[in-house]
Amino acid sequence: MEYSSILTSLHVVPSSPHVKNKLFVFCIMLSLWVYMIYCCVGYCSTVPSLRYVNRHGDEVDVVESSLGASRDLLNNNENDLDSRGKEWEEARGEIKALDENAMSGFLNESETKKLPQAIIIGVKKGGTRALLEFLRLHPDVRAVGAEPHFFDRNYDKGLEWYRDLMPKSLDGQLTMEKTPSYYVTKDVPSRIYNMSQDTKLIIVVRDPVTRAISDYTQTRSKKPDIPSFESLTFKNTSSGQIDASWSAVQIGMYAKHLERWLQYFPMEQLLFVSGERLITDPAGEMVRVQDFLGLQRVVDEKYFHFNPAKGFPCLKRPDSTSKPHCLGKTKGRTHPNIDPDVVQKLRDFYKPYNMKFYEMTGHNFDWD
Ligand SMILES: Nc1ncnc2c1ncn2[C@@H]1O[C@H](COP(=O)(O)OS(=O)(=O)O)[C@@H](OP(=O)(O)O)[C@H]1O
């Protein structure tokens, strides 16, 4: 045995094979024992958190990204958390370098996984990813990056399954997630209410016509053979009747969906964020969001850099010289040109819903 021959050559053990074997077994036992003590004091369980450590240190970066990547892949593959896993991976990868708020709790024994106290519940294509990533810059926010789809698709898995998806947080830190389909799913308000009637709900809304086109653009990017936007908009083209059962149209009837939420939650527990202002004035919208969540106003104009080529604000660390990080190419796709008559018909269709929505929220979003 190589190990015992080294010891023999060093003259530290007797040459009897019996004693050498015993010594070898003893060494193995000792190593196991030391390893177990190491685990008992919590180091083994915190090893995956290494991805949060010394993000800017060269050596650690290698460990960091390999562990981080495998965890993200696990999340996406094993739990099927996000039907748009690729999109998530992309956004996650880009934001990773900015994700320093997650560092604060490394090896901290008082961190626990908590059910979210605040959720971005919608709307699809409203700008929900941008808002979540803006919030993740805040040191008092911990958010799961993937969309858990717990209250719509995975409810039968139970609250403990849901809690386990959440990142660890300290008391006083806010746990969050975003799943845009919640806003339009019938059973979700009562289910969130049953988890906690104090849950704060954020909805990023955007001009419903642009939102519908954005939604269509996303679907077409995956299924290029789908019919034209114009033909899907109408029940039949000759009658000119809008097909409100088409999800791209239905999601934008914000007032209708809001009525369902108000059966469970008071208006003060809902915050409507303008998807348009999130692009033109992200810092201004972030004041409203941070105030609503009871957070200090940390994420301000210093965290944003408008990228003219992308046409969107990108994120930067105020104290860093590193390049600003923009969301991936699945955010900010070029929309197809839609027949202006069809756009106008959709505008007319949405007008009463928009008016009702402004009235209910007390906020004019200026879409008309
Ligand atoms: N900062 C920044 N960077 C990139 N994109 C931004 C940003 N802020 C808002 N947006 C808008 O977000 C739209 C996508 O919305 P969501 O993230 O809610 O989409 S999704 O429902 O999660 O698929 C996306 O829609 P499209 O432009 O139609 O692709 C963007 O317009």
Side-chain angles (χ1 to χ4, degrees), residues 89-222:
E89 275 297 325
E90 195 175 4
R92 194 67 204 102
E94 286 165 351
I95 298 301
K96 212 164 159 258
L98 295 156
D99 202 7
E100 282 178 356
N101 75 48
M103 289 167 67
S104 57
F106 177 62
L107 295 185
N108 193 324
E109 295 301 305
S110 57
E111 283 197 323
T112 53
K113 292 185 176 195
K114 301 178 187 72
L115 290 168
Q117 299 100 330
I119 307 178
I120 299 173
I121 57 172
V123 298
K124 185 182 176 194
K125 306 319 292 178
T128 55
R129 170 59 60 195
L131 178 62
L132 189 77
E133 298 308 339
F134 296 173
L135 275 165
R136 294 176 100 187
L137 296 172
H138 198 292
D140 294 333
V141 172
R142 290 296 180 84
V144 54
E147 294 175 7
H149 281 280
F150 173 63
F151 294 104
D152 56 349
R153 296 186 202 156
N154 293 306
Y155 196 60
D156 56 336
K157 296 198 166 88
L159 276 176
E160 282 317 303
W161 176 88
Y162 185 44
R163 187 201 304 271
D164 203 44
L165 296 180
M166 299 301 145
K168 286 184 173 181
S169 64
L170 293 167
D171 290 342
Q173 284 180 320
L174 209 62
T175 301
M176 293 191 68
E177 67 119 323
K178 80 119 179 162
T179 304
S181 49
Y182 288 165
Y183 187 63
V184 298
T185 308
K186 198 172 136 279
D187 292 331
V188 173
S190 61
R191 288 174 174 180
I192 296 186
Y193 181 88
N194 287 339
M195 174 186 72
S196 167
Q197 56 193 82
D198 297 325
T199 312
K200 293 187 177 180
L201 307 167
I202 299 179
I203 307 100
V204 189
V205 285
R206 177 184 187 184
D207 176 353
V209 179
T210 329
R211 199 220 66 80
I213 298 170
S214 171
D215 203 338
Y216 172 81
T217 309
Q218 172 169 290
T219 310
R220 204 182 61 167
S221 73
K222 292 168 190 166

Side-chain angles (χ1 to χ4, degrees), residues 208-248:
V209 179
T210 329
R211 199 220 66 80
I213 298 170
S214 171
D215 203 338
Y216 172 81
T217 309
Q218 172 169 290
T219 310
R220 204 182 61 167
S221 73
K222 292 168 190 166
K223 297 180 202 146
D225 298 336
I226 56 167
S228 68
F229 181 87
E230 287 83 346
S231 60
L232 288 168
T233 299
F234 299 107
K235 277 193 178 141
N236 68 63
T237 328
S238 52
S239 75
Q241 206 185 345
I242 303 284
D243 186 355
S245 69
W246 183 30
S247 69

